[in-house]
Amino acid sequence: MTSSPLPEGVIAVPVALGQRSYDVLIGAGLLASAAGLIAERLGATKCVIVTDENVARRHLAPLESALKGLGRHAGTQVLPPGEATKNFGALAGLCERILETGLERGGLVIALGGGVIGDLAGFAASIVRRGIGFVQIPTTLLAQVDSSVGGKTGINTPQGKNLVGTFHQPNLVLADTSLLATLPAREFRAGYVEAAKYGLLGDAQFFAWLEQNYPAVLANEAAALARLVGTSVKGKAAIVARDETETGDRMLLNLGHTFGHALEAWAGYSQRLLHGEAIAIGICLAFQLCQELGLTDADTVRRVAAHFTAIGLPTRIADIPGNDAPDAATLVKIMGQDKKVRDGRLTLILVRGIGQAFVSRDVSTETVGAFLSRQLGEKNA
Ligand SMILES: NC(=O)c1ccc[n+]([C@@H]2O[C@H](COP(=O)([O-])OP(=O)(O)OC[C@H]3O[C@@H](n4cnc5c(N)ncnc54)[C@H](O)[C@@H]3O)[C@@H](O)[C@H]2O)c1
């Protein structure tokens, strides 16, 4: 990778993975330089842009015309927005579209969008011609702080979310924080949870900074956003460099996810409960469980919930809108189908305090079930 001077105010966070190393560039206004940076740093002949309708309407034109200007645009695929697009049919259509453009092995797929587009386009890039280059231009907060880094790709099947996919690292990630200005507030808050997660799992100072500075983040102030995204990406890059394929430390990134995924599945992966909202509740449940297990104290549990409440996020199962609530047995059953279940034991991320997470397989499903039963105010709990 050649290192040409970066546009002013842009920071580079390296993801150190030997031959598969790459940079995450973070800064406001980066999209305007994206085509030039891709051409200089990766030297690809042609590129196919993959995006969704919402993002295309707002942010596609400058990238497409800059690539055309450089003679590097092979085609653009605009997909319907939303989680439902992460399916086998869309994957097949996208692979065929990429091949139809004549993209060769030296070509690049550019994912311009949120986690849905990144996961799908990354998967297609990993299997077309047995693997071609891939650039992420994440446009949601969740994608900037989490999904665009680390190389996990995938789609959903009727059996569950992200059960089919590959590891395929991008060659470059360009996180333009000014693109977040058009993101709906609810999506922004949902992405914020994944950023706060890095503080909660391993960086107490960052969580304290968030408690002080969240108003500037919510007001879209450039310096605050750069710090939020930069610190999150550094946190993820360090973990991915230690454990690329999630056999150890990378599991820490699942803090709150065992509970959160179960709630998301129960709510039918719908607008009723966004992924980040489910994770906010899941993180609060994980901290509460740890209090019950004697690992952390009540003040810490309150501090986490208070911060999420200040952001405008749900913190309890009862905060999920609608007239029905899940029962503990259903949630435990869903958890049993999790990818991280080994030999019938749940893998949970537990905490000894803010910034002190660890992986545990020692908590039985009965303990988790009884805990959820109490949370839900079930009789005989
Ligand atoms: N690969 C990973 O490591 C990883 C990690 C976490 C989550 N994920 C995946 O990410 C997906 C969720 O990603 P997401 O939250 O980004 O959702 P998303 O991609 O569906 O985007 C959310 C919504 O925001 C719209 N949007 C995107 N950017 C916009 C912008 N700048 N302005 C206006 N609207 C914009 C999209 O069209 C969509 O409607 C899930 O499928 C999840 O499984 C993957």
Side-chain angles (χ1 to χ4, degrees):
M1 190 186 288
T2 56
S3 50
S4 44
L6 292 175
E8 215 186 306
V10 171
I11 61 163
V13 178
V15 184
L17 288 168
Q19 294 215 314
R20 280 166 288 104
S21 297
Y22 54 96
D23 277 345
V24 181
L25 305 186
I26 302 158
L30 202 49
L31 188 65
S33 330
L37 283 166
I38 290 168
E40 278 166 35
R41 291 187 152 232
L42 306 178
T45 44
K46 296 272 184 187
C47 305
V48 171
I49 305 171
V50 184
T51 188
D52 74 24
E53 286 154 11
N54 293 335
V55 178
R57 222 170 24 249
R58 296 168 173 95
H59 303 298
L60 173 63
L63 178 65
E64 197 171 56
S65 63
L67 282 174
K68 281 180 182 164
L70 294 171
R72 286 166 192 265
H73 181 254
T76 297
Q77 178 79 324
V78 182
L79 296 161
E83 191 66 35
T85 294
K86 268 177 55 173
N87 66 52
F88 265 121
L91 176 72
L94 179 56
C95 290
E96 288 179 15
R97 170 79 185 121
I98 293 169
L99 291 169
E100 276 162 18
T101 66
L103 203 73
E104 294 173 354
R105 257 203 113 187
L108 282 175
V109 170
I110 302 177
L112 174 71
V116 164
I117 291 300
D119 280 10
L120 181 70
F123 195 0
S126 74
I127 55 177
V128 164
R129 298 190 189 282
R130 298 205 174 85
I132 55 175
F134 171 47
V135 173
Q136 291 261 22
I137 306 185
T139 63
T140 63
L141 184 54
L142 177 134
Q144 295 196 353
V145 300
D146 189 359
S147 63
S148 65
V149 179
K152 276 192 189 177
T153 81
I155 55 168
N156 307 323
T157 62
Q159 291 73 27
K161 261 190 82 169
N162 298 325
L163 291 180
V164 177
T166 55
F167 282 99
H168 188 59
Q169 298 294 341
N171 301 80
L172 181 65
V173 181
L174 302 171
D176 180 347
T177 51
S178 61
L179 303 182
L180 303 176
T182 60
L183 193 63
R186 189 176 170 203
E187 294 287 352
F188 188 96
R189 288 195 296 269
Y192 183 98
V193 177
E194 303 285 0
K197 184 187 73 180
Y198 297 108
L200 293 170
L201 71 85
D203 188 345
Q205 245 184 327
F206 179 46
F207 188 72
W209 180 85
L210 289 174
E211 289 178 307
Q212 293 294 313
N213 292 280
Y214 74 88
V217 170
L218 295 183
N220 251 296
E221 285 178 23
L225 282 181
R227 172 109 183 235
L228 179 86
V229 177
T231 310
S232 301
V233 169
K234 278 182 200 152
K236 180 150 186 185
I239 288 178
V240 168
R242 290 203 296 274
D243 174 24
E244 186 180 5
T245 54
E246 198 167 314
T247 51
D249 268 10
R250 190 164 177 171
M251 285 186 223
L252 295 173
L253 297 173
N254 295 318
L255 175 62
H257 281 56
T258 304
F259 290 122
H261 278 157
L263 292 170
E264 220 185 342
W266 168 79
Y269 301 108
S270 64
Q271 285 297 309
R272 186 174 174 191
L273 187 67
L274 299 181
H275 173 74
E277 294 168 342
I279 301 307
I281 300 172
I283 288 176
C284 291
L285 287 172
F287 271 80
Q288 271 173 286
L289 174 65
C290 291
Q291 186 196 340
E292 286 199 7
L293 295 173
L295 290 166
T296 194
D297 57 35
D299 279 349
T300 303
V301 175
R302 272 195 291 274
R303 201 176 142 195
V304 175
H307 183 58
F308 284 164
T309 302
I311 300 298
L313 287 159
T315 60
R316 302 168 311 155
I317 297 176
D319 293 339
I320 302 173
N323 296 326
D324 56 337
D327 58 81
T330 304
L331 292 178
V332 170
K333 193 166 171 224
I334 299 172
M335 286 178 192
Q337 289 152 6
D338 196 276
K339 286 197 288 297
K340 282 116 201 157
V341 172
R342 302 263 159 81
D343 305 325
R345 292 198 75 84
L346 290 174
T347 304
L348 289 176
I349 310 308
L350 303 180
V351 285
R352 294 196 176 86
I354 287 170
Q356 299 172 58
F358 62 99
V359 181
S360 167
R361 291 202 183 84
D362 296 336
V363 184
S364 69
T365 43
E366 290 75 25
T367 302
V368 173
F371 164 74
L372 285 172
S373 222
R374 283 192 293 283
Q375 289 292 317
L376 289 158
E378 290 173 359
K379 288 198 185 90
N380 309 322

